[in-house]
Amino acid sequence: MDNSDKTDPAIKAQGLTKKFGSLTAVDRVDFEVKSGELFGFLGPNGAGKTTTIKMLTGLARPDAGTIKIGGIDCTKNPKIAQHLIGIVPDESNLYPELTGFENLCFCASIYGMRKKERILKANELLELFGLKTAANRKFGAYSKGMKRKLTIAAGIIHDPEILFLDEPTTGIDVSSARQLRQVINNLHKKGTTVFLTTHYIEEAERLCDRIAFIVNGKIVKIDTVSNLIQPIQNIHSIQIQCSPKITSLNSALFDQFSYKKVKFLDNSVLRVEDINTIPVGPLIRFLEEHGIEVFEAIRIKPSLEEVFVEITGIEINAMKKDKEKNGGGK
């Protein structure tokens, strides 16, 4: 029997905690996800994102705290709300010896779908994800992007009310990632509640209604994208790519200009910020007069990256290294 109440949050976690020996992977986490919301869990690798999603979906038991899915208390019985959810793990859980079509039909049968409905839905999803020509090919022979697509198709074959996506676009090509983001966006528009973990800041900014920043197992901020960006909305920024050793001009820049902030992203990239519009000409002339060759100067729009760095203290370069480790680059 479904004891859920549509007025309840789709997902509610209170004091959620998970330890592995002396390591606290998730530390007293509290959050709610509204019905129909696309909620992002954003943080670097090792922040506690996957551990959180495993506890929410019943794949791991919390050491402390409570979980409600669709108003159903899942703390003692994590499987009680399984009929409401779809799960797309960070690593595929499909069978390499089965074809794409067979994998989808098998997953549909687990959810109690009738044979005719299974076949219809499997073909529909293969078409949607551009996998129709690979339907009868063994899953083990699929490319990374194709495997990711089929794994997501398997997670939504039963039209779940709540979909959990763990790093859905990590390690796949740009074209596949773009297609998957479009599918996720369309599911959201249709009313599916989506809980998305990612370490791609642009992905979270593009897709999510609200975002939680998680670092070292703790949530450090939760808000809408617009509210997160609002404090820096009126900040003007210029980024300059130039010849090395620009950092030697640090004090000279402050003596010459009254910018609010000067950042050296490395020894050949300078970013200046101010509350007023920054004339680029005088800045470039100043650098050239001091023997610095300027290759490029671009105006930077305020973004979630700036907010993330400000709140967490984690530099964007560290997040980019996460991408490289996982074969990203998007």
Side-chain angles (χ1 to χ4, degrees), residues 24-250:
T24 302
V26 177
D27 192 359
R28 292 167 293 177
V29 161
D30 297 320
F31 63 86
E32 291 185 3
V33 180
K34 302 169 189 172
S35 180
E37 184 175 28
L38 204 166
F39 185 84
F41 229 47
L42 176 64
N45 282 348
K49 303 187 301 296
T50 294
T51 303
T52 299
I53 214 169
K54 283 183 175 179
M55 287 190 286
L56 294 173
T57 56
L59 298 176
R61 286 188 178 275
D63 294 318
T66 60
I67 297 168
K68 286 188 176 182
I69 303 293
I72 302 170
D73 191 339
C74 303
T75 310
K76 293 180 179 178
N77 184 356
K79 302 294 183 183
I80 197 170
Q82 291 296 298
H83 62 290
L84 296 177
I85 70 174
I87 308 168
V88 180
D90 57 341
E91 296 289 339
S92 176
N93 55 354
L94 301 182
Y95 295 95
E97 69 276 13
L98 298 182
T99 67
F101 176 77
E102 287 168 344
N103 264 298
L104 291 183
C105 287
F106 176 73
C107 291
S109 69
I110 291 174
Y111 291 108
M113 294 171 65
R114 296 175 182 273
K115 185 176 180 180
K116 186 177 180 181
E117 187 185 6
R118 294 199 298 263
I119 293 171
L120 189 67
K121 191 67 176 180
N123 283 319
E124 179 187 314
L125 289 170
L126 287 165
E127 187 73 45
L128 174 66
F129 283 94
L131 296 171
K132 194 69 176 174
T133 57
N136 297 316
R137 196 186 309 170
K138 293 282 195 290
F139 180 71
Y142 279 23
S143 69
K144 279 186 178 180
M146 291 167 69
K147 284 180 177 177
R148 206 73 190 116
K149 290 176 187 177
L150 197 77
T151 304
I152 292 179
I156 64 174
I157 197 162
H158 59 303
D159 294 321
E161 292 180 24
I162 304 166
L163 180 63
F164 291 91
L165 294 166
D166 194 5
E167 302 278 4
T169 61
T170 293
I172 63 175
D173 62 274
V174 175
S175 176
S176 294
R178 188 181 300 117
Q179 185 182 11
L180 288 181
R181 289 187 187 113
Q182 188 59 55
V183 169
I184 293 166
N185 198 39
N186 289 341
L187 286 168
H188 174 225
K189 286 179 179 177
K190 289 178 181 177
T192 305
T193 303
V194 181
F195 184 96
L196 168 77
T197 76
T198 183
H199 61 262
Y200 295 142
I201 293 178
E202 321 89 76
E203 182 167 85
E205 184 173 2
R206 194 180 308 168
L207 290 174
C208 299
D209 298 317
R210 284 192 306 140
I211 294 172
F213 292 162
I214 182 168
V215 180
N216 296 325
K218 292 178 180 286
I219 291 180
V220 294
K221 187 77 172 179
I222 300 180
D223 213 332
T224 63
V225 173
S226 58
N227 284 348
L228 287 167
I229 294 176
Q230 185 58 44
I232 63 167
Q233 199 67 50
N234 297 320
I235 297 294
H236 299 271
S237 300
I238 290 179
Q239 185 166 302
I240 294 178
Q241 178 80 41
C242 50
S243 56
K245 298 186 178 177
I246 192 174
T247 51
S248 62
L249 295 179
N250 190 6

